[in-house]
């Protein structure tokens, strides 16, 4: 151990020279430095950078140690440092995204595997709370659903339309119970609490549907790696990991026997996700049902169509595409700042 | 006494150390201890006992403790547990003197 000469330093993310140092160090490991990190530290020996790690929300990422210094406990030092920094920020649950071949290094540090998609990616977690405890809680809420066949849908609903409602209603008619998991990640123009509320209100008339937050384990920042894989592999890694976690962990915990998905003619990422689901879920005995989008006025109903109509402020054309509850919200004073965001935001979601 | 504790942490994951994270649990949950150790088979029971003994001596109940051990000695385990408790806002017996 050569601890005497090794020091831990905080990297100033506003200092271009320091950031470039980290960036070129990571490049040696085929890792890309993402700008969207909250905190970065470096291990220095005799003034030379020999190791680094970053924190992005509760995800520990970009962890790398100089090759000739591996196996001497430096990974533990980097991970400890990042967990302590997370603690100062009030974060006590951590994810690590890594390649399956290196997952064992973090397992020795008390991290438990959430899922893996060979040979692309593995997701591990540690700290307070776990995938098991999260879905155990949802399972308690799901105990109120009628017994029998149970379907699941994972939806973003940005915002909730009659298209979503039609697919979910079909699932409710074909199964005794339906669990709707609403994507919790804040990556959409409509904030999570609004999306969740509109889904709940839009489905209030059904007695066999449970609407709950999807949590950190489905379509989240944690299941979206992006940084260590080459671009073409990124989508494959993310979608296959997400699908595997659903099949191996979430579906058994909630007694789900089938998953309904809307077909996707436009978005290539969603299409890749659907392909991964169709490949992986049946291997675990979960049926996959691909639903066609319903059409109103000759065009398929989608949230993106509603958003582009909002941009054009064509409220009369939006009216027939969404449930009353969504329309009321869109026209309310609460929605003004969000409508403003939609108008000035051309992003995909 | 126990009161409501903040979530707090002490220790590291380096060899010979233990990382303790502590949070208040639901009332009447008692002491819920989750232990990970590289020497779980050999010393798991002894480590749990050491942590529980510190909590009991401090009169702490209804807590959730996560401990990740990397081969820490008893004195280290006690020290890390006490520090985590202190950071969580528990009034330690020694402080009252």
């Amino acid at each position: 151990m050569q601890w005497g000469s090794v020091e831990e330093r905080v990297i100033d993310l506003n200092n271009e020279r320091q950031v470039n140092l980290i960036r070129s160090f990571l490049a040696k490991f085929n890792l890309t430095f993402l700008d969207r990190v909250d905190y970065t530290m470096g291990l220095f020996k005799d003034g030379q950078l020999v190791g680094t790690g970053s924190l992005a929300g509760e995800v520990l990422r970009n962890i790398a140690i100089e090759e000739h210094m591996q196996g001497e406990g430096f990974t533990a030092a980097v991970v400890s440092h990042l967990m302590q920094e997370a603690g100062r920020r009030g974060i006590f649950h951590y994810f690590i995204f890594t390649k399956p071949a290196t997952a064992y290094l973090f397992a020795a540090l008390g991290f438990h595997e959430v899922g893996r998609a060979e040979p692309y990616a593995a997701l591990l977690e540690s700290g307070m709370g776990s995938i098991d405890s999260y879905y155990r809680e949802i399972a308690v809420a799901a105990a109120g659903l009628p017994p029998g066949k149970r379907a699941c849908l994972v939806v973003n609903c940005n915002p909730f339309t009659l298209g979503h409602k039609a697919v979910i209603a079909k699932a409710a008619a074909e199964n005794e119970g339906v669990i709707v998991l609403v994507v919790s990640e804040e990556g959409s123009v409509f904030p999570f609490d609004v999306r969740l509320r509109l889904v709940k209100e839009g489905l209030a008339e059904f007695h066999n549907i449970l609407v709950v937050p999807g949590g950190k384990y489905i379509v989240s920042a944690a299941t979206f790696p992006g940084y260590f894989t080459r671009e073409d592999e990124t989508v494959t890694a993310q979608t296959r990991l997400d699908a595997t976690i659903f099949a191996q962990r979430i579906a058994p915990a909630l007694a789900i026997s089938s998953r309904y998905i809307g077909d996707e003619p436009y978005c290539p990422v969603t299409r890749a996700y659907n392909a991964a689901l169709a490949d992986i879920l049946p291997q675990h005995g979960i049926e996959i049902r691909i639903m066609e989008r319903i059409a109103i006025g000759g065009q398929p109903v989608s949230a993106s169509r509603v958003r582009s109509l909002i941009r054009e402020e064509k409220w009369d054309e939006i009216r027939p595409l969404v449930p009353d509850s969504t329309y009321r919200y869109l026209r309310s004073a609460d929605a003004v700042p969000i409508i403003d965001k939609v108008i000035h935001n051309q992003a995909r979601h | 006494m126990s009161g409501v504790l903040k979530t707090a942490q002490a220790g590291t994951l380096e060899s010979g150390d233990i990382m303790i994270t502590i949070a208040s649990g639901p009332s009447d949950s008692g002491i819920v201890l989750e232990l990970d150790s590289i020497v779980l088979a050999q010393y798991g029971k002894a480590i749990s006992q050491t942590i529980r003994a510190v909590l009991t001596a401090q009169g702490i109940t209804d807590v959730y403790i996560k401990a990740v051990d990397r081969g820490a000695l008893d004195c280290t385990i006690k020290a890390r547990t006490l520090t985590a408790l202190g950071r969580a806002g528990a009034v330690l017996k020694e402080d009252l003197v």
Side-chain angles (χ1 to χ4, degrees), chain A residues 188-227:
Chain A
S188 309
V189 246
F190 288 88
F192 167 68
D193 59 331
V194 170
R195 288 185 285 112
L196 180 70
R197 199 182 77 216
L198 293 181
V199 176
K200 279 188 174 163
E201 286 175 5
L203 296 170
E205 69 214 61
F206 295 91
H207 69 284
N208 64 338
I209 297 178
L210 175 71
V211 180
V212 284
K216 304 165 181 171
Y217 304 95
I218 196 139
V219 196
S220 70
T223 60
F224 199 106
Y227 72 100

Side-chain angles (χ1 to χ4, degrees), chain A residues 3 15 48 84 89 102 113 144 146 151 164 170 175 187 192 244 255 318 344:
Chain A
W3 281 105
N15 182 321
Q48 289 288 312
Q84 285 164 354
R89 292 159 188 254
T102 50
E113 198 162 312
H164 300 121
K170 187 114 197 305
N175 295 272
F192 167 68
T244 306
I318 293 173
H344 295 101

Side-chain angles (χ1 to χ4, degrees), chain A residues 27-171:
Chain A
K28 291 193 287 188
F29 303 88
N30 279 328
L31 291 171
T32 326
F33 184 78
L34 277 190
D35 295 331
R36 276 169 295 137
V37 296
D38 303 320
Y39 178 88
T40 299
M41 63 82 72
L43 282 183
F44 290 82
K45 184 178 191 300
D46 304 327
Q48 289 288 312
L49 181 66
V50 292
T52 181
S54 294
L55 194 64
E58 55 181 45
V59 186
L60 277 45
R61 63 196 328 168
N62 290 347
I63 296 169
I65 306 292
E66 189 75 78
E67 210 161 319
H68 70 270
M69 294 178 69
Q70 287 174 4
E72 304 198 32
F74 292 112
T75 307
V78 171
V79 172
S80 298
H81 183 120
L82 295 175
M83 284 164 87
Q84 285 164 354
E85 180 59 31
R88 278 191 277 275
R89 292 159 188 254
I91 296 167
F92 294 96
H93 176 264
Y94 330 90
F95 283 115
I96 285 187
F97 215 100
T98 186
K99 297 193 175 177
T102 50
Y104 75 96
L105 287 173
F106 301 107
L109 301 177
F111 278 76
H112 296 277
E113 198 162 312
V114 177
R116 60 166 64 200
E118 295 279 4
Y120 309 103
L123 180 68
L124 297 99
E125 68 174 342
S126 183
M128 308 310 241
S130 67
I131 185 166
D132 291 330
S133 58
Y134 182 76
Y135 289 104
R136 214 179 297 133
E137 264 174 49
I138 293 188
V140 171
L145 288 173
K149 264 197 338 175
R150 192 177 283 177
C152 179
L153 296 99
V154 178
V155 293
N156 195 30
C157 293
N158 183 37
F160 187 69
T161 68
L162 287 176
H164 300 121
K165 191 173 178 175
V167 172
I168 298 168
K170 187 114 197 305

Side-chain angles (χ1 to χ4, degrees), chain A residues 3 8 76-77 79-80 83-84 87 92 94 108-110 112 126-129, chain B residues 7-9 11-15 19 21-23 34 36 38 64 66 68 70:
Chain A
W3 281 105
E8 299 174 13
V79 172
S80 298
M83 284 164 87
Q84 285 164 354
F92 294 96
Y94 330 90
L109 301 177
H112 296 277
S126 183
M128 308 310 241
Chain B
T7 305
Q9 188 188 68
T12 74
L13 298 172
E14 287 164 41
S15 190
M19 186 181 264
T21 314
I22 191 162
E34 209 178 300
D36 261 314
I38 49 170
Y64 173 84
K66 165 119 189 185
V68 182
R70 298 266 289 154

